[in-house]
Amino acid sequence: MESKKLDLHTREAHPSPTVVDCGGVDVGGGTFRIIAGPCSVESEGQLMRIARAVKASGATLLRGGAFKPRTSPRSFQGLGAEGIRLLLEAKRETGLPIVTELMNINHIGLFNDVDVIQIGARNMQNFDLLKELAAHTKKPILLKRGFAATLRELLMSAEYLLEGGNPNVILCERGIRTFVRETRNTPDLVAVPVLKELTHLPVIVDPSHATGAARLVKPVACAAAAIGADGLIVEVHDDPSHALCDGDQSLTPGQFDDMARAVGAFVDTRLSLARSNHPTT
Amino acid sequence: MESKKLDLHTREAHPSPTVVDCGGVDVGGGTFRIIAGPCSVESEGQLMRIARAVKASGATLLRGGAFKPRTSPRSFQGLGAEGIRLLLEAKRETGLPIVTELMNINHIGLFNDVDVIQIGARNMQNFDLLKELAAHTKKPILLKRGFAATLRELLMSAEYLLEGGNPNVILCERGIRTFVRETRNTPDLVAVPVLKELTHLPVIVDPSHATGAARLVKPVACAAAAIGADGLIVEVHDDPSHALCDGDQSLTPGQFDDMARAVGAFVDTRLSLARSNHPTT
Amino acid sequence: MESKKLDLHTREAHPSPTVVDCGGVDVGGGTFRIIAGPCSVESEGQLMRIARAVKASGATLLRGGAFKPRTSPRSFQGLGAEGIRLLLEAKRETGLPIVTELMNINHIGLFNDVDVIQIGARNMQNFDLLKELAAHTKKPILLKRGFAATLRELLMSAEYLLEGGNPNVILCERGIRTFVRETRNTPDLVAVPVLKELTHLPVIVDPSHATGAARLVKPVACAAAAIGADGLIVEVHDDPSHALCDGDQSLTPGQFDDMARAVGAFVDTRLSLARSNHPTT
Amino acid sequence: MESKKLDLHTREAHPSPTVVDCGGVDVGGGTFRIIAGPCSVESEGQLMRIARAVKASGATLLRGGAFKPRTSPRSFQGLGAEGIRLLLEAKRETGLPIVTELMNINHIGLFNDVDVIQIGARNMQNFDLLKELAAHTKKPILLKRGFAATLRELLMSAEYLLEGGNPNVILCERGIRTFVRETRNTPDLVAVPVLKELTHLPVIVDPSHATGAARLVKPVACAAAAIGADGLIVEVHDDPSHALCDGDQSLTPGQFDDMARAVGAFVDTRLSLARSNHPTT
């Protein structure tokens, strides 16, 4: 008798939570990790200053865009290969594993020493890229939710990676498009517990893109910690008003430090609640 | 020379936070209050059991619907005047001030001993009701956001009450309509800090309507505490599967108790962070 | 044995299309009617000039707001009773039946000679108003869809009127709220054929509110004719740049004449297609 | 002195409408073209029967999916190269130019004899694919709007193609995601006249994906004709209940013939109105 194959992302197929080893930093399974760094890598000095600052405040992974998906072909498209080179230098110097976006499978050769490959919201349903990526690498993939993707669609895009042979997938909620005008996007925080029911994969939140405004990053980050996310990815810039992209939503190192402290307190509360609910574990 | 009059809901017009006295319970100004009770008042026994239970778990106001806005004219429309009578009895017995919805100004006479008058999401832009209500009473008004209202629209509806002479307005975020299919509504939690910037009025969150699912109420309630809300309004029923309305999103008293404990821990964390940021206050 | 009562708005309950007699003008059942006039009645001269102009271009009903639902309490709230008086004068002079909005059942006495009572989008789920209105009058009701109402919700609001004893209900699609920024609302034109499947009630379209831009009214009006609507309600002003409300979306009499001619051609095409499909009827 | 370069898609940069030659069929500039065919190429017999039928009813281009973007990796992914081969055979037999989707630049070699290359909604912001495609070919590109893309975003994606050296771009509105539950998507028909103001590129409508329901394709197609679209792309299947994808929204050849006749009548009306407005042209 034929048995129906379970989707690999489901709790039924894999009851225990997946923990993804990101260059020595585990994501998922009860910890809370903060990925931080600039929207775009702009220069060695910029990246190094930001990397040192976010590490000092508790970030355990460094993000930075080298290949940038921009709405307009006239906008800054990122430093490309040079951006990757600078990220690797920052990794050597700070010891932070690095996360950066891949937009084209032909660039995969440049990602050999990258720790986590990000697939952006606009490529969440670029199924050929997902298939090719899974065929090429078992490196951790940070898969961002498309801004009008249902949770089922996000999970089925993850399924392309899992089916393709890469089990190291981290999901990321980054805000959805709604009628609301007062924020750039609407953070869909309830997606976190809903995803946690449906899948064993880690789920992190991007409060920078979700809100589009630096002053809203801290409250959304705290809420993400309280609602059960496995971590954050946050944009930080040491001179937001001159950032080549996303300056409006970038925290200064000082604001990031303040955010990280508040988030840490909420994470501690969550862990202590979890312990008191399961005293023997 | 004429000076432009400031809107009364703005921080410019009223820099300090408004604290609304709800039958002896203050809402706003740094505290965190939980309003709880059944969607609809169904019977004396049902209401009393739930009222005692939520009080024991830390709720400080009792909610219950007597006049119910239902999509269909064939659905249960509430017990009306008899529902109010039962609420007042529960108030006498438990000492909890009561919150219940008004849909028609002609019913105002029944609300003399009600502590907080709720205006539902569907009537948020029923401007004649807002005008009449402000003219009739200075009782606290709990104004729920329409499910496709922008924050500016919510604030301008509050302005109808403030301009009409009633300064005791509490705002409530209760979920918005989006393309998402996995939850009944999308809780717009970032609305809390955005509203806090724009207005001095207290802002609470309704995790029951925002999610439509009992199992999601606790995580959203915790996130609401972390993001800075002034309180919650939560649906509780002692027999959800037989509730006359909203059973799917009602907590049992046991689930409510668990939620209240977790929320309390996050509120403590928030207060302690606030104190450490402002050590002398 | 009890039989389940059919909802009165359904095709099952009432297979043939409802035709509503609006002061001598039939709406529904295959005709196409244009209701036109200013957003707000501002003065006798303004109303009379517009009424004569729209009549000359083929409008068969006159619209004009006397009681206006405005987001802000500081905005012009309409002329009230005096607005109704001016509409009745315009009716006497032009012979056009009049359509105007009711926001409060206590105003019903002023509507004795009004031909069609409009319930606005913001009051679509003001169920007490719907109940009271059905109890007071069998006059035609123009029920506008809330800007985030599903079609089922619109139909159930109509059901309140039908159940209450008033069978003369006309539905109106007026644009919904979406993420789109380039138009004020998104005209949901496919709602017309979907509603036509579900109900026997007439369905008209408001291209003025649906788009928020005068230059888009004509194309949307033509599409509404082609997709099967029973008519239009259109805002016209003889001096849009000085209109007290909705100037941006008001047509001049000249633009209205142009629109009416184009719409008429598409209606003729539709009728001729219908005849060729049903040659013997 | 440096002058600011105009975006190539704008009316300012290119006042007259672009007419795209699609294998001998001109799209844009006042004509109305219907592209029709199956969602997926399934077999030679299936494709040939449908191709002959749609040609007989007035379609002037044949569509058919060979590479299919599917939400789930377990769904039928298309016949791939074999699908292209069958499309080319159908082209030889019927003379209809063919339109099919490209998902991966590495497949471009298979598209040498394809007349129009489609970029699907999910790849609208796959900027690397857009850049690579423009670098490889000047063939007509049918660019579908992402289901939550603003019109500006659609136009900027077109700009990637135009800037890259391919001026032969056709835009396609295919429905957007909204809160509405009664249709799969909401056809955003007003996007047609808004796009026509902003760009010289042709704009067509996909009523099949926009509605998700075969019975709604005809009314939306008629509305698209009336509102000023340059054409349609419609899914047709000779056995919808057994289609490998999108059966619910596929017309039978008989339904397509009926639709084409109705649409033709509305197009004639539109052309005749245009002539009477500009009698000398």
Side-chain angles (χ1 to χ4, degrees), chain D residues 258-276:
Chain D
D258 176 53
M259 181 213 81
R261 211 168 322 162
V263 165
F266 287 110
V267 170
D268 287 347
T269 305
R270 187 176 99 188
L271 296 177
S272 132
L273 284 165
R275 274 193 303 272
S276 69

Side-chain angles (χ1 to χ4, degrees), chain C residues 70-92:
Chain C
R70 304 305 299 277
T71 299
S72 164
R74 310 271 179 89
S75 300
F76 173 59
Q77 308 272 318
L79 295 182
E82 170 66 4
I84 304 272
R85 196 186 64 73
L86 294 176
L87 282 164
L88 294 174
E89 220 165 281
K91 176 184 172 178
R92 269 190 299 278

Side-chain angles (χ1 to χ4, degrees), chain D residues 153-251:
Chain D
E153 287 171 337
L154 172 59
L155 291 168
M156 294 316 293
S157 286
E159 191 72 16
Y160 271 93
L161 296 168
L162 302 174
E163 277 257 325
N166 185 332
N168 299 308
V169 179
I170 302 165
L171 305 174
C172 181
E173 156 61 27
R174 46 75 76 210
I176 58 171
R177 291 218 163 150
T178 70
F179 69 88
V180 177
R181 294 294 189 267
E182 285 88 356
T183 45
R184 179 174 164 191
N185 292 294
T186 297
D188 183 16
L189 291 170
V190 75
V192 175
V194 175
L195 285 169
K196 290 276 171 188
E197 295 172 339
L198 299 172
T199 187
H200 50 87
L201 298 171
V203 181
I204 70 170
V205 169
D206 175 347
S208 309
H209 286 88
T211 62
R215 66 187 206 283
L216 298 172
V217 168
K218 179 182 168 182
V220 170
C222 291
I227 212 165
D230 293 299
L232 298 172
I233 180 164
V234 181
E235 291 188 339
V236 178
H237 199 285
D238 59 336
D239 185 8
S241 62
H242 293 95
L244 291 183
C245 71
D246 284 355
D248 287 350
Q249 69 196 36
S250 293
L251 301 183

Side-chain angles (χ1 to χ4, degrees), chain C residues 145-153 176-183 185-190 193-194 197-198 210-211 215-216 218-220 222-227 258 261-263 265-267 269-270 273 277, chain D residues 145-153 176-183 185-190 193-194 197-198 210-211 215-216 218-220 222-227 258 261-263 265-267 269-270 273 277:
Chain C
R145 178 184 182 186
F147 44 68
T150 63
L151 299 181
R152 181 176 175 273
E153 287 170 338
I176 57 172
R177 290 218 163 150
T178 70
F179 69 87
V180 177
R181 295 294 189 268
E182 285 88 357
T183 45
N185 292 295
T186 297
D188 183 15
L189 291 170
V190 76
V194 176
E197 295 173 338
L198 298 172
T211 62
R215 66 186 206 286
L216 298 171
K218 178 182 167 183
V220 170
C222 292
I227 212 166
D258 176 53
R261 209 167 327 161
V263 164
F266 286 110
V267 170
T269 305
R270 187 176 97 188
L273 284 164
N277 283 339
Chain D
R145 179 184 183 187
F147 44 66
T150 64
L151 299 181
R152 182 177 175 274
E153 287 171 337
I176 58 171
R177 291 218 163 150
T178 70
F179 69 88
V180 177
R181 294 294 189 267
E182 285 88 356
T183 45
N185 292 294
T186 297
D188 183 16
L189 291 170
V190 75
V194 175
E197 295 172 339
L198 299 172
T211 62
R215 66 187 206 283
L216 298 172
K218 179 182 168 182
V220 170
C222 291
I227 212 165
D258 176 53
R261 211 168 322 162
V263 165
F266 287 110
V267 170
T269 305
R270 187 176 99 188
L273 284 165
N277 283 340

Side-chain angles (χ1 to χ4, degrees), chain D:
Chain D
M1 204 192 110
E2 200 196 14
S3 69
K4 186 167 172 301
K5 203 178 149 203
L6 284 170
D7 280 331
L8 299 173
H9 70 266
T10 59
R11 288 276 183 189
E12 291 68 32
H14 187 299
S16 65
T18 283
V19 179
V20 179
D21 178 350
C22 300
V25 175
D26 53 316
V27 174
T31 60
F32 192 89
R33 303 298 180 203
I34 305 182
I35 307 168
C39 171
S40 290
V41 176
E42 298 174 10
S43 71
E44 186 172 342
Q46 172 241 25
L47 183 63
M48 226 56 91
R49 285 191 300 275
I50 297 172
R52 283 191 210 106
V54 299
K55 184 181 183 185
S57 300
T60 51
L61 293 114
L62 176 66
R63 65 150 288 156
F67 296 95
K68 297 296 304 173
R70 303 304 300 277
T71 300
S72 163
R74 309 270 179 90
S75 301
F76 173 59
Q77 308 272 316
L79 294 183
E82 170 66 5
I84 305 271
R85 196 186 65 73
L86 294 176
L87 282 164
L88 294 175
E89 221 166 281
K91 177 183 173 180
R92 268 190 301 276
E93 169 130 354
T94 61
L96 293 174
I98 57 175
V99 181
T100 194
E101 179 165 354
L102 176 108
M103 293 171 64
N104 188 325
I105 198 64
N106 297 329
H107 300 156
I108 189 80
L110 299 167
F111 285 68
N112 284 339
D113 297 318
V114 166
D115 299 282
V116 180
I117 298 176
Q118 179 177 318
I119 297 297
R122 289 165 187 78
N123 277 323
M124 188 201 89
Q125 292 193 313
N126 178 350
F127 301 119
D128 274 59
L129 183 58
L130 299 177
K131 286 179 189 174
E132 291 169 322
L133 191 56
H136 272 81
T137 183
K138 288 198 166 26
K139 267 186 206 297
I141 312 291
L142 176 56
L143 179 65
K144 299 191 86 174
R145 179 184 183 187
F147 44 66
T150 64
L151 299 181
R152 182 177 175 274
E153 287 171 337
L154 172 59
L155 291 168
M156 294 316 293
S157 286
E159 191 72 16
Y160 271 93
L161 296 168
L162 302 174
E163 277 257 325
N166 185 332
N168 299 308
V169 179
I170 302 165
L171 305 174
C172 181
E173 156 61 27
R174 46 75 76 210
I176 58 171
R177 291 218 163 150
T178 70
F179 69 88
V180 177
R181 294 294 189 267
E182 285 88 356
T183 45
R184 179 174 164 191
N185 292 294
T186 297
D188 183 16
L189 291 170
V190 75
V192 175
V194 175
L195 285 169
K196 290 276 171 188
E197 295 172 339
L198 299 172
T199 187
H200 50 87
L201 298 171
V203 181
I204 70 170
V205 169
D206 175 347
S208 309
H209 286 88
T211 62
R215 66 187 206 283
L216 298 172
V217 168
K218 179 182 168 182
V220 170
C222 291
I227 212 165
D230 293 299
L232 298 172
I233 180 164
V234 181
E235 291 188 339
V236 178
H237 199 285
D238 59 336
D239 185 8
S241 62
H242 293 95
L244 291 183
C245 71
D246 284 355
D248 287 350
Q249 69 196 36
S250 293
L251 301 183
T252 61
Q255 292 167 327
F256 176 72
D257 189 69
D258 176 53
M259 181 213 81
R261 211 168 322 162
V263 165
F266 287 110
V267 170
D268 287 347
T269 305
R270 187 176 99 188
L271 296 177
S272 132
L273 284 165
R275 274 193 303 272
S276 69
N277 283 340
H278 305 285
T280 59
T281 58

Side-chain angles (χ1 to χ4, degrees), chain C residues 116-195:
Chain C
V116 180
I117 297 176
Q118 179 178 316
I119 296 296
R122 289 166 187 78
N123 277 324
M124 188 201 88
Q125 292 194 313
N126 178 349
F127 301 118
D128 275 59
L129 182 58
L130 298 177
K131 287 179 189 174
E132 292 170 323
L133 191 56
H136 270 81
T137 182
K138 288 196 166 26
K139 269 187 206 296
I141 312 291
L142 176 57
L143 179 65
K144 299 191 88 174
R145 178 184 182 186
F147 44 68
T150 63
L151 299 181
R152 181 176 175 273
E153 287 170 338
L154 172 60
L155 291 169
M156 294 317 293
S157 286
E159 191 73 16
Y160 271 93
L161 296 167
L162 301 175
E163 277 257 324
N166 186 331
N168 300 307
V169 178
I170 302 165
L171 305 174
C172 180
E173 156 61 28
R174 47 75 75 210
I176 57 172
R177 290 218 163 150
T178 70
F179 69 87
V180 177
R181 295 294 189 268
E182 285 88 357
T183 45
R184 181 175 164 190
N185 292 295
T186 297
D188 183 15
L189 291 170
V190 76
V192 175
V194 176
L195 286 169

Side-chain angles (χ1 to χ4, degrees), chain A residues 102 105 108 117 119 129-137 141 161:
Chain A
L102 175 107
I105 199 64
I108 190 79
I117 298 176
I119 296 297
L129 183 58
L130 299 177
K131 286 180 191 175
E132 292 169 322
L133 191 56
H136 272 80
T137 184
I141 312 292
L161 296 167

Side-chain angles (χ1 to χ4, degrees), chain A residues 33 47 151 161 176:
Chain A
R33 304 297 180 204
L47 183 62
L151 299 181
L161 296 167
I176 57 172

